[in-house]
Amino acid sequence: MIRIAVLGAGRIGRIHGRNAANHPDARLVAVADPHAPSAQELAAATGADVASLDDIVERSDVDAILICTPTTTHADLIERGARAGKAVFCEKPVDLSSARIEACLGMVEKAGTPLMIGFNRRFDPNFANLRRRLADGEVGEVELVTILSRDPGPPPVSYIATSGGLFRDMMIHDLDMARFLLLGDEPVEVHAVGSSLVDPEIGKAGDVDTAAVLLKTAKGRIVQISNSRRATYGYDQRVEVHGSKGMIRAGNIHRTTVEVANAAGVTADPVQDFFLERYADAYRAELGAFLAAVKAGKACEPTGRDGLMAQRLADAATESAQSGKPVRL
Amino acid sequence: MIRIAVLGAGRIGRIHGRNAANHPDARLVAVADPHAPSAQELAAATGADVASLDDIVERSDVDAILICTPTTTHADLIERGARAGKAVFCEKPVDLSSARIEACLGMVEKAGTPLMIGFNRRFDPNFANLRRRLADGEVGEVELVTILSRDPGPPPVSYIATSGGLFRDMMIHDLDMARFLLLGDEPVEVHAVGSSLVDPEIGKAGDVDTAAVLLKTAKGRIVQISNSRRATYGYDQRVEVHGSKGMIRAGNIHRTTVEVANAAGVTADPVQDFFLERYADAYRAELGAFLAAVKAGKACEPTGRDGLMAQRLADAATESAQSGKPVRL
Amino acid sequence: MIRIAVLGAGRIGRIHGRNAANHPDARLVAVADPHAPSAQELAAATGADVASLDDIVERSDVDAILICTPTTTHADLIERGARAGKAVFCEKPVDLSSARIEACLGMVEKAGTPLMIGFNRRFDPNFANLRRRLADGEVGEVELVTILSRDPGPPPVSYIATSGGLFRDMMIHDLDMARFLLLGDEPVEVHAVGSSLVDPEIGKAGDVDTAAVLLKTAKGRIVQISNSRRATYGYDQRVEVHGSKGMIRAGNIHRTTVEVANAAGVTADPVQDFFLERYADAYRAELGAFLAAVKAGKACEPTGRDGLMAQRLADAATESAQSGKPVRL
Amino acid sequence: MIRIAVLGAGRIGRIHGRNAANHPDARLVAVADPHAPSAQELAAATGADVASLDDIVERSDVDAILICTPTTTHADLIERGARAGKAVFCEKPVDLSSARIEACLGMVEKAGTPLMIGFNRRFDPNFANLRRRLADGEVGEVELVTILSRDPGPPPVSYIATSGGLFRDMMIHDLDMARFLLLGDEPVEVHAVGSSLVDPEIGKAGDVDTAAVLLKTAKGRIVQISNSRRATYGYDQRVEVHGSKGMIRAGNIHRTTVEVANAAGVTADPVQDFFLERYADAYRAELGAFLAAVKAGKACEPTGRDGLMAQRLADAATESAQSGKPVRL
């Protein structure tokens, strides 16, 4: 039984906390959040204790910590957890600075403790199935990867300002997905463009809301990613890989299978529009994978280095979009 | 908090028992099953007591019972539960004899206790959504209903022998679905045909494995249902309603959204092939509806009469398939 | 070069006339229609002569006649064509009376001349492909056939009165399709129901506008067909066969491949709604098959007997719907 | 009646020649091709004369010429046609050199004769419908355009050598499509990458077989295009536009509507794999648009300038892929 503490009882902390509480191999022992009512509510729902962030990392009855606090605290908490010998699961990103990430990962490596970064989409049953079949060679060699990702609506402009920008905040998931699908072949050239088309306030805040990157890998494979902060039709999450023996893709999940036909055409239900619903299975599988690795004493994946590489790609994309020039890695 | 006892800890009892244990308005207090290890396992997983069938129905700390035992015991247990003042949820069918069902329902009516019959498909989010939109008039007046239902594979021939036959065991779900979609207009004419095409042993056991019915309602609406005990491609569950203003349908759920294109064509993943997976959400919603009705002191639906009507249609279909003549209701 | 005369220059005569004129192995030499302007227009467009019905059948420069006149004239014209040694293609049905069809076919058999009946749907590339794969055993033994067919809108009530009724006028196509898909196993039991739900005037004219049949074959296979005279969403033409090794289906053709996603869902373009557009390829292929058979001196298919069998099924369905009892063949 | 001459009786010349011969407003009067049998065959099939290229452009009984000869001859023939006062339809591209195109267009402008460039995909009913709805504002402002285009297989390496390279030979169609969908907003920044992943011989010949571009327009809109010279699953032609009010897309046409379900999944027929089949309707509509413009004395579209702009984008993409730097226009 792996004893878990969750740090941060916000939206994502509640998901991981409940999944931990429901998992047969885990027990949620403690919850910490500076906002006491949030911590209390999650603790009450799961039978866990409320504790302070400081205490929780040191507690001897905690084997693993789930870091679900704001980004700026991630690297410190990872280091404190590693120092205390805890297995650490940390929501992406480790930090907005690649240098800080590198320092943190160096410390964790020295500690020799497990660390897993929360790129939840790798655990979506659809994308995971696609990746497995790709790795099995079902469509031959990967040649072109196309990733389309659109959010239902933009976050508040106040959030945008501290988010690190679209490439680091939103596209980082797609950049990690690209690496996941490239099976080890790393991007070496990043072209990015971005615009503020959805909301001029986002532009005034110095960010973009519509963006695309073009990546080329060491072996010449090509990746295209596009993002929009707003889709009237839901949370759009699609992946397609063109290979030497065929094409494989995975896409959106409609709210129901209902279709209506009339003079306007044949209308399928809208796609699921909330990421917590769309990726509910993924979050469960992600925590399961973390616990399974910890239990088996095996390496966690996505690794800290996966977090670093995605961050570097996001940095490169940010730089390319600003300079108008490609960035080589 | 509604205190629940589950009677029968087999496949379906475990589903309802766990759903009860996880429901915020319910507590699973007791489990009974003649097969002690089954009862113990479910009790251990949910924190409930193990008890005998006899005790459980009378226990004062039980508000509602979930009857998940073999069909032959249903009517007796419903009556005992009603006599003891319990709310009763009973898996379909109440009994294989319509006369016995009528007697049982009469007793329950006298007792004035809640009774809900477990036609799970009404609670599938897809079919429930379709029904809601039908009731809202989205496709106008219902004219033609088509229900296609195929099981992944036939049950053991030993089961077939005591099942009451395909129409009462399998098609009864579709007959209830037909009534659900007809919004109150009742079938009055039943034509049925059946054949043993899947497995000659089923034919030797006196049953059919492939069957269809044609129903006409009081208002002249038409329903077509077809069943097969075997589908190589999964558990096939489709409903389509042709109305005066359009057509509405709901269908199968694929295992994933992955599709592969190559020289053979474009292949979507197979459909889910196990009813407990396909209807996991439906079972949860079904129990939720029972608990909500009990909590609110409202009538449960599907009612005992719904169970009786479906059984009468199944009887009529059985008779029609055997006699080669339609049966009028 | 097969020299063709077309009898009847209405909607369907124009289709066949033009297809004949464009076919590399055929030449359209003459057109007849009591309505002179129609004959003249088709003749002008194709370079053919205008002639009288009487003359055209006897002309020595005509090898084959295409009968596209009203139903009541079909049998006589077939006999005259056969007597004159012409190959005959006749639109369905040969006659509304099965007895008259039998007499006509006996005469043709004696004459030993080619006769093909115009069941165009057999030549639709989609249904033809499905049938070929069925015959190749791709889904194993046929067990359940489902045919859904809906017209965009009802014909004028005046037409209905002389049409022979829905089963003989509309469902006959589906009955022939059923026979086509049963690969030689003939229906022996016909249950039919019909209602007037679309337009009460159709009911007053003694016909139904919504109907379904349930067929059982000699080998126990089951067929379900349903028809409506009105579909708000286009001309709905679907076929599905459940076999021992899988399921195969073919369906509607959308006007374009365009799809729009927004808050209302994902909407595909409506399906094609006019039978001449939907079956344009089928009409071309049908005439091509007739010409190929005539050229090769091989038997034409669908045969006169196919026309008779479909008519008998339509008669049986009409009788069953009226009597409320199944009809055995 | 517009009198047409077709120059070049190869694969595409035969298509246009036959479409001209079948068009109610046109008559094909002459065919020229240095390869005499090709010219004779097309002439025989359409009732046209065979003539020399030199004669045909000058003939007084010719109103319009269709240039379907090799690329290197296009600009000269356009100029000769314009000088002779003919309306000219010319297959893309006008020339592989943008400078030569500009000179040619200048000459045509002076002559004041009609010129249309053959970007056939604009006339595909699916893409044309999508564009019309885009222009009607159905999905609001265009924000992101995604174009995926893959050929079934690469052309011979010998052809590649003289083709101008993938961007000018293949992607030029997608670049024109991008401009078509941008409704007047022009790309100003071109990032391109290309690789030889399909066939190393293509790489040795100095070209790429897998490529992608990322475009940014004057108004900040973003376009992504990807190409492969080989798709095992057919001729893949897809377009998707993300707009402020929704998403619209148009895609591939399957060979039939047949689908088979079995344990491997649900398999739709492959997509059409030959461009002449896929775009048969487009070629017909394209010629119809040319003839309609000539008849009405209106400007033809796509214009010569459209040809020039697409070529400039292809040049820019070629340069960007070679230099590894974006090109500004």
Side-chain angles (χ1 to χ4, degrees), chain D residues 5 7 27 35 37 40 43 52 54 67 74 76 81 111 133 166 174 202 208 225 240 263 279 301 315 317:
Chain D
L7 285 60
R27 197 152 53 81
H35 183 248
Q40 281 154 7
S52 76
D54 287 327
I67 303 176
H74 287 182
D76 284 354
R133 291 160 77 171
L166 179 144
D174 306 298
I202 293 176
V208 296
I225 301 172
E240 173 171 331
Y279 285 122
E301 202 170 330
D315 289 347

Side-chain angles (χ1 to χ4, degrees), chain B residues 143 150 191 194-195 213 216 220 224-226 228 230 232-233 238 240 242 244-247 249 324 326 328, chain C residues 143 191 194-195 213 216 220 224-226 228 230 232-233 238 240 242 244-247 249 324 326 328:
Chain B
E143 294 175 352
R150 289 101 169 85
H191 299 251
S195 295
V213 302
K216 193 172 179 179
Q224 285 190 311
I225 301 171
S226 60
S228 170
R230 179 256 299 112
T232 60
Y233 54 95
R238 285 176 285 160
E240 173 171 331
H242 180 88
S244 57
K245 293 184 181 164
M247 181 266 275
R249 64 180 165 204
R328 260 130 205 119
Chain C
E143 294 175 353
H191 300 251
S195 295
V213 303
K216 194 173 179 178
Q224 285 190 310
I225 301 171
S226 61
S228 171
R230 179 256 298 112
T232 60
Y233 54 95
R238 286 175 284 160
E240 173 171 331
H242 179 89
S244 56
K245 294 184 182 164
M247 180 266 275
R249 64 182 165 202
R328 259 128 206 123

